[in-house]
Amino acid sequence: MKNILLISDTHSYLDPRIEKHIDACDEVWHAGDIGDISLTDKIKTKKKLIAVYGNIDDNKARAEFKKDEIFFCEKVKVFITHIGGYPPNYTPALFQKLSEIKPQLFICGHSHILKVMYDKSIGCLHMNPGALGTHGFHKVQTALKFEIAEDKIQNLQIIELTKSILS
């Protein structure tokens, strides 16, 4: 079993209140818009990190991370990208890619809106953790915690932080 912390849209700010959640997980997954690469460097000193770059990320982030990550966690096939929309509002190109990859879990960021929903059309769970950083229109900083055990995604928890005035 793996305990996962899913974050996105940090925009160079790693809220100190999230550190206890980093400490309690096995892996951190970041769905893009990292900002300053020192943020991911800090996470990597504590935990395994899987991340993709987002539209605001510079050449350093793009040199270290890919646009898309496709991998297995336990027996769950995972696809992470930054800009992905949500069911059923995918671009035709992304819908084609999802249809080919056939993930059980599709993760994206970008919107700053937390969403978890099952997409019957492609048979997978869609997750967007919202935004953990302070840059943007969102009023609450959010992230997701969950477990993957064999082929099950379970014990999903929403982390909400009052938007920090520090950034």
Side-chain angles (χ1 to χ4, degrees):
M1 181 174 68
K2 297 272 182 165
N3 291 298
I4 308 300
L5 175 64
L6 176 59
I7 62 176
S8 186
D9 296 275
T10 48
H11 293 262
S12 301
Y13 181 69
L14 189 62
D15 195 299
R17 297 172 292 173
I18 202 69
E19 295 205 22
K20 67 181 178 184
H21 299 287
I22 292 171
D23 294 340
C25 73
D26 297 312
E27 298 181 4
V28 176
W29 299 351
H30 195 304
D33 279 1
I34 295 160
D36 191 315
I37 203 81
S38 65
L39 185 142
T40 49
D41 290 343
K42 182 176 181 178
I43 293 170
K44 287 189 296 186
T45 65
K46 295 180 165 207
K47 297 295 170 171
K48 178 181 178 181
L49 173 71
I50 297 173
V52 296
Y53 68 77
N55 57 295
I56 67 113
D57 290 318
D58 64 13
N59 290 338
K60 288 181 186 176
R62 290 168 190 249
E64 184 167 347
F65 302 109
K66 300 177 199 170
K67 179 180 187 258
D68 301 329
E69 281 287 351
I70 302 163
F71 60 96
F72 279 89
C73 180
E74 298 272 317
K75 294 181 181 176
V76 173
K77 190 173 192 181
V78 180
F79 173 35
I80 304 176
T81 195
H82 182 60
I83 300 174
Y86 59 90
N89 298 322
Y90 305 119
T91 64
L94 182 61
F95 183 77
Q96 177 68 33
K97 193 169 195 172
L98 287 165
S99 298
E100 291 169 6
I101 294 168
K102 295 182 175 37
Q104 284 85 31
L105 178 57
F106 172 56
I107 295 169
C108 64
H110 186 63
S111 70
H112 292 221
I113 300 169
L114 186 146
K115 278 189 192 242
V116 178
M117 55 197 304
Y118 189 75
D119 185 351
K120 292 179 190 175
S121 70
I122 56 172
C124 83
L125 184 62
H126 166 84
M127 289 185 183
N128 183 326
L132 187 59
T134 56
H135 177 79
F137 66 88
H138 58 284
K139 304 263 189 259
V140 177
Q141 295 163 251
T142 57
L144 293 170
K145 286 185 356 182
F146 56 96
E147 298 169 350
I148 297 181
E150 296 285 322
D151 61 350
K152 306 260 188 298
I153 302 162
Q154 60 192 27
N155 297 326
L156 177 67
Q157 298 173 24
I158 296 170
I159 299 166
E160 293 183 322
L161 305 174
T162 306
K163 196 166 179 184
S164 175
I165 58 170
L166 306 170
S167 57

